[in-house]
Amino acid sequence: MNYKFFPLLFVVLLTSFTSLPNKSNSTTITPETTVSSVSKNVSIYNQLDANSFVLPNFDCFNTALEGFYLLKQKGLITKNILTLVDFSLSSNTKRLWVIDLEKNTILFQTLVAHGRNTGEEFANEFSNQAESFKSSIGFYATGEIYNGKHGLSLKLDGLEKGLNDNARERAVVVHGADYVSESFIKQNKRLGRSQGCPAIPVEMNEKIINVIKDKSCLFIYHPSKNQEILAKLAS
């Protein structure tokens, strides 16, 4: 949904975010600072070159951008590439975006699977536990490429304690899967599901992995957990 902002946007957003540290990591962000931050993110959002794709939900984009800046400041990510996964959306929709923040351009938009125990068509249950077969929300740094049972795959490091920091231990990775396809949706009325990995279409796998590898930011969003995501990231 393309949020072209309206007068009440700032009021709504101000009531939905927890405070994040500023660049010195020592001063609490004031409402005025939050307004300035949201205003900046609205401007970036409205200037995004959709590149024939649909823009992501603004709330998802705004949270992702706040986290991106914080993680970049901490040196946990190094690339100006942001990958968004919006698990508030149906798995039958293209709910993964890869955005080049240097060029302000959406590079890819595609299907992405959630874990088999996270839900059917919609994602609604999340876990950081091994063998849960559930997706984990929050911020990740992309790691190294390897070849595994799903072919070319990309390791992920969860950056939020208790939410996704077991990702590497759980082997939650980006990989291609034949159950992530329009044909699977037509046959089964919903996208296929993974064991917790953000699996993507096989034909998109190599292209996306080579762009987002090596310490770029990947963010998995769900509105029901937004406050928890931000609180964990700021701690």
Side-chain angles (χ1 to χ4, degrees), residues 136-166:
S136 299
I137 55 171
F139 286 90
Y140 297 78
T142 62
E144 66 274 21
I145 294 174
Y146 72 101
N147 278 289
K149 64 180 180 180
H150 298 290
L152 192 73
S153 304
L154 179 66
K155 292 189 177 182
L156 298 173
D157 290 301
L159 302 177
E160 302 196 70
K161 186 174 178 61
L163 284 182
N164 61 21
D165 58 331
N166 289 332

Side-chain angles (χ1 to χ4, degrees), residues 75-96:
L76 295 173
I77 58 171
T78 57
K79 288 185 171 181
N80 289 323
I81 297 292
L82 176 60
T83 302
L84 307 181
V85 176
D86 187 351
F87 275 166
S88 71
L89 301 175
S90 163
S91 62
N92 297 343
T93 63
K94 294 181 178 181
R95 55 185 181 166
L96 180 148

